Amino acid sequence: MGGGPAKEHLLIAAPQAIPEAIVSRLQSKFPDIDVTSIQVNSTSPKLVDVPASTFAKVTILVTFNVLPSDPSKDAKNLDWLHLFSAGSNHIQHHPLYTSSDVTITTSSGIHGPQIAEWAVMTALVQSHKYKQLYELQKEHRWGKTGAGDDYHNVRDWVGRRIGVLGYGSIGRQVGRVAKALGMEVIAYTATPKDTPEKRRDPGFIVPGTGDAEGEVPSKWYSGLDKESLHEFLRQDIDWLLVSVPLTKETTHFLGKKEFEILSQGGKKPTFVTNIARGAIIDQPALIEALKNGTLAGAALDVTDPEPLPEDSELWNLPNVIVTPHVSGVGQAYLERAFQVLEVNLERRQKGERLINVVRRERGY
């Protein structure tokens, strides 16, 4: 918003205490920035109110959901908001997003390793019939050694195809791991990636992960219209990973028609994994497709709504795995979020373009 003081003031507002080592490292690396950390006792995704005076001198705010209720009045010096989250949809109705020119960056890129592990784990649990094996273990039964039981009917993923709907940092890491399993990877993005430059990942990358140059997919598809989406879904996909951001265009992006196209009219049921947002999928249509055999199964870390109601049919469907939006949680989460912040603090000092900047017109 401009008019900031000569010395930068960085405020970290988080639901947990930030380790002193992180605060000290920031102060040591960036001596021209005053760093303050406060703990806000809330893990809710809803925005949290704190006294307006908290933001008076703040030029850089690092948080998930602690925002000034009236930025133009209470945070006149604020010119950069860094979110701990990969997305910004939870603040998109806030005046800081809708009515200011404050730069907003996210922690996109830090979730790839743990979410990819969750996606592969749950897909293998389903394909290897692990639920049945676990029940045998609980009953102290060895099970049958001959063919005939479902858990003997296992097909590996070699030579099969994964469609990554949203080839961002998470999609790239899932694609990397899927290729290591012997799968073919095809990618879908909002805009065309028809040059090597466009296929590169411009955001934060955890070292040793992802697909920085965009070399993993054998084919690329793009578009936000249903015709383009349907062309992608017709590509004989065995496993569909949903990893697009939730926007106006992607709300209920997948429904009854899309599931029928994906499974070739039920002739080849596909396994669907959603680690993005629940509202991207028409949930009643998903339930019906899972019940009638249009889809082989689903792994859902996100639902619509959340928490998933106790009476939802999803809980009891044998071909479904539901977890409470935890695929991105891990011990390295906080450290990596601050790595993104530090990269951008260094870029800011050098006058370079920041990474992971939210483009408000696109919603992410």
Side-chain angles (χ1 to χ4, degrees), residues 22-214:
I22 290 179
V23 176
S24 297
R25 187 175 73 219
L26 288 172
Q27 292 175 326
S28 176
K29 291 181 68 174
F30 307 100
D32 293 332
I33 301 177
D34 283 338
V35 180
T36 304
S37 176
I38 62 173
Q39 183 174 359
V40 180
N41 294 320
S42 173
T43 56
S44 167
K46 296 181 180 179
L47 299 183
V48 176
D49 289 327
V50 297
S53 59
T54 304
F55 305 101
K57 294 184 178 181
V58 175
T59 55
I60 304 168
L61 176 60
V62 182
T63 189
F64 173 69
N65 59 352
V66 180
L67 303 178
S69 56
D70 185 351
S72 62
K73 177 182 177 181
D74 302 328
K76 294 181 179 180
N77 297 310
L78 183 65
D79 59 18
W80 175 19
L81 166 66
H82 178 70
L83 296 170
F84 286 124
S85 55
S88 61
N89 57 290
H90 64 294
I91 69 163
Q92 288 179 3
H93 296 293
H94 191 277
L96 195 63
Y97 190 99
T98 61
S99 306
S100 84
D101 58 0
V102 170
T103 298
I104 301 173
T105 58
T106 72
S107 297
S108 176
I110 71 172
H111 306 80
Q114 61 268 42
I115 292 183
E117 290 180 7
W118 181 95
V120 172
M121 173 189 72
T122 50
L124 292 177
V125 163
Q126 189 71 17
S127 66
H128 281 257
K129 326 294 182 185
Y130 181 71
K131 287 184 177 180
Q132 298 175 36
L133 297 171
Y134 181 56
E135 290 303 315
L136 289 175
Q137 180 180 345
K138 289 197 298 182
E139 296 170 5
H140 297 193
R141 290 198 298 121
W142 185 251
K144 298 178 181 179
T145 56
D149 290 289
D150 200 27
Y151 53 83
H152 289 98
N153 185 26
V154 172
R155 180 179 175 183
D156 58 47
W157 290 97
V158 176
R160 305 177 80 182
R161 179 176 293 166
I162 179 173
V164 181
L165 184 63
Y167 203 66
S169 60
I170 296 167
R172 287 171 185 256
Q173 177 62 5
V174 174
R176 177 188 181 119
V177 177
K179 186 173 182 179
L181 288 173
M183 300 190 75
E184 179 190 4
V185 180
I186 61 173
Y188 190 92
T189 56
T191 57
K193 307 298 180 186
D194 48 10
T195 67
E197 179 63 30
K198 290 180 180 179
R199 291 175 181 174
R200 293 192 183 105
D201 185 351
F204 179 79
I205 304 173
V206 176
T209 72
D211 180 19
E213 300 300 320

Side-chain angles (χ1 to χ4, degrees), residues 243-261:
S243 52
V244 292
L246 178 62
T247 65
K248 179 180 178 181
E249 292 81 8
T250 62
T251 299
H252 285 189
F253 208 37
L254 298 171
K256 180 179 180 180
K257 186 172 184 178
E258 286 70 40
F259 296 140
E260 290 175 348
I261 293 172

